[in-house]
Every structure is written in structure tokens, then in C-alpha cells.
Amino acid sequence: MSFPDFLRKTKSRLKVWEILSDSKTPLTARQIAQKAADGEKEKGVWLSSVYRALEAFEKAQVVNRTLLKDSPEALYSLSETGHHHYAICMNCKSRTELEGCPFGEHDHLHTVDEDFMVVGHVVEVFGYCKDCRKKMQKNEKK
Amino acid sequence: MSFPDFLRKTKSRLKVWEILSDSKTPLTARQIAQKAADGEKEKGVWLSSVYRALEAFEKAQVVNRTLLKDSPEALYSLSETGHHHYAICMNCKSRTELEGCPFGEHDHLHTVDEDFMVVGHVVEVFGYCKDCRKKMQKNEKK
DNA sequence: CTACATGCAAACCGTTTGCACCCTA
DNA sequence: TAGGGTGCAAACGGTTTGCATGTAG
């Protein structure tokens, strides 16, 4: 995956791009701004600019935005990043990675029908982990 | 699916419950409050109370909350409601229902492993619809 | 040179929280 | 009648937007 050639290569966008490239996990906008500031030679990238860069990347189909029930913050990753799905406990919010993907391992790039170009997908399984089930049973039968 | 017996049956909660029961599609908290106010005999239910009722229902595992890339507002539905998955255009936000479910038709109620109780799952396919692809090609090659 | 990107601040808006009063069990 | 639920208002926090300035092409 490379920086889209029809987008202006500005300092901010290149920095955001670099941070996403270096990260093995999806990041929030805030985390990206944080990392940009940590490098701290130069001046970092303002949060709104991070959002605008991410928006441009998403439109260009090179970045995926994901919203989990887990948190109100969106997660961003390069589209190429191997995708993962999680089982999320609705009580303690712990996340366990799922083995495999229900769509199979051909990653993205199938079509729903001939008209819809698929960029990616989100799969989340939610429920309750063992520990929380125990706790909740105790509390509720009082 | 019936009203959990370990939750107090208050006017607000019963109203929210009734609205969810009557709806064939998932609703936002605001829509629920709206519908409660529309009935307009009585006084309706405050938005914060709707949220608190939904939170209680969700903890009780009788309501699912879903977040789509589509909108910042969460959608709520009774857990029993037959589930649907959508292909969502990242540009125009149109939604097309997917045929079937990648997890198969046994609905919820499988386990990820023996420790995690599954309540439900979210599957979203995102990409670009035919119309938007055309429009974007025109705009970007200027 | 000029259209687009950025820094910065302020608005936005869905959701959460605090508190006094109300009402279910 | 006690403890949880509700109305209401105010805070919260992630994201978006407006505007003057900067800068890539």
C-alpha cells in the first residue's frame, strides 16, 4: 500500500501515513497525534489535521475506520493491515481475538454483488466473558 | 423475549420496551424518545432515561446495541430480532442488506470458546456503491 | 500564484452524570 | 418506606467546522 499519488504530500499527511505504516495495530486519531508529537523534532500534527488526513485517506480507500462497541473512539489502520476480529465482553470490555474470519482468508476484495465494491468488513462478536458472568450472577440474584 | 423479571417495571422502561417490541428495525435512543413523546398521552420519556433503560436491558442481555460506520448514533433492538447485515457505501451511506450471515443461520448462541458466552455479533461490509464509484472517478481525475 | 492543507479555537452532538424528587416492590 | 429510577440540567469527549495563514504543485 502506498501513499495515493493524487493527494498532496504535506508534512502532516506524511507523518500520519508513517505512523500508520509503523503500527501493527489500529490506532485512534488521538494516538496518532500523540505519536506525532512524541517524535517532537518539528511540531507534531494538530488533532483536527489528523482527522482531515484520515478522512482523505479513507476516501482514497487506503485507510479503514472501525468503530467498536468497546469505545466511542474510532480506530484507523492502513487497508492492507491484516485484519482481525474480536470477541468483546460487554461488561469488562476485554477483547479476545477470534481465530480466522467468517468470510474466509481471502481478506477484502470480494464483491457483494457486481455493483458494490468491497473495501473491507467488520466482524465483532459480543457477549460476556467467564469472569463477568460469574460476577453478574452473584450480583443479580441478591 | 420478555421483560426481564429482575428489573423493576417502571413506566419509562415499559414504554421503551414496548417501542422496541413494536419496531421491526433497530432504533436510535432519540427515535425511541421521539416515539414515546408522540404517543403523547402521559409525558413521554426523557432521553437520559431512555439511555438508562437501554443500558439496563443491554446488561440483561435482552437488547443489542450496534454501532455502524454509517452514523455516530447507536442503534438498539431486542436481541430476538432476526439479525441483518449490511453493505454500506462509505460515500453516500446507502445500505444494502446482505443475503445470509457468514456465521450461518443458527443466529446467535454459539460460543467462541467454552468461556465466552456469545450474545450476538456485528457484521458490516463496507465499500463503494456503483454510483459513487462513477462520481468519484470523475471528480478525482480532474 | 493559487487552490488546497493546516493551526488553532470554537461549535457540535451523542452520551453520561449529578442531584433532588418520585415510585416500585 | 427504602432504594432504585426518573426528570431535568449541566458536563463530557470525540469529532467537525470556520477562518486566517501557510505551502505544495
Side-chain angles (χ1 to χ4, degrees), chain A residues 24-39:
Chain A
K24 280 169 297 299
T25 60
L27 299 172
T28 66
R30 198 174 299 278
Q31 289 173 322
I32 293 170
Q34 194 61 55
K35 281 176 191 281
D38 287 351

Side-chain angles (χ1 to χ4, degrees), chain A:
Chain A
M1 185 68 50
S2 57
F3 196 103
D5 48 348
F6 53 88
L7 285 183
R8 284 196 181 180
K9 292 178 183 55
T10 66
K11 216 167 284 187
S12 299
R13 304 227 262 227
L14 288 169
K15 190 71 194 163
V16 170
W17 185 261
E18 178 198 330
I19 289 168
L20 282 176
S21 299
D22 289 351
S23 172
K24 280 169 297 299
T25 60
L27 299 172
T28 66
R30 198 174 299 278
Q31 289 173 322
I32 293 170
Q34 194 61 55
K35 281 176 191 281
D38 287 351
E40 88 179 282
K41 58 186 172 184
E42 313 293 321
K43 282 186 56 195
V45 182
W46 202 243
L47 188 51
S48 54
S49 302
V50 171
Y51 277 111
R52 286 192 269 225
L54 290 170
E55 189 189 355
F57 291 149
E58 198 188 351
K59 281 229 177 71
Q61 307 171 38
V62 292
V63 157
N64 288 335
R65 176 164 50 120
T66 311
L67 277 166
L68 267 29
K69 298 167 80 71
D70 192 28
S71 143
E73 289 183 271
L75 293 170
Y76 298 85
S77 60
L78 294 194
S79 298
E80 66 180 350
T81 301
H83 70 277
H84 305 284
H85 304 307
Y86 297 91
I88 301 163
C89 176
M90 293 159 74
N91 189 55
C92 70
K93 311 306 183 194
S94 65
R95 286 155 66 178
T96 320
E97 189 166 347
L98 298 179
E99 310 283 324
C101 166
F103 286 112
E105 290 307 327
H106 33 321
D107 221 57
H108 319 150
L109 300 176
H110 9 241
T111 47
V112 168
D113 60 40
E114 71 266 38
D115 290 335
F116 192 90
M117 183 183 67
V118 174
V119 172
H121 59 260
V122 174
V123 175
E124 284 175 69
V125 170
F126 47 93
Y128 294 89
C129 70
K130 195 180 187 179
D131 290 350
C132 286
R133 278 210 311 291
K134 271 192 225 148
K135 280 182 219 149
M136 293 171 73
Q137 279 165 9
K138 269 186 214 142
N139 293 344
E140 276 168 6
K141 78 172 45 158
K142 172 190 59 122

Side-chain angles (χ1 to χ4, degrees), chain A residues 65 69 119 122 124 126, chain B residues 65 69 117 119 122 124 126:
Chain A
R65 176 164 50 120
K69 298 167 80 71
V119 172
V122 174
E124 284 175 69
F126 47 93
Chain B
R65 175 163 51 120
K69 299 168 78 70
M117 183 184 68
V119 172
V122 173
E124 283 176 70
F126 47 93

Side-chain angles (χ1 to χ4, degrees), chain B residues 63-83:
Chain B
V63 157
N64 288 334
R65 175 163 51 120
T66 311
L67 276 165
L68 266 30
K69 299 168 78 70
D70 192 28
S71 144
E73 288 183 89
L75 293 169
Y76 299 84
S77 60
L78 294 194
S79 299
E80 66 180 351
T81 301
H83 70 279

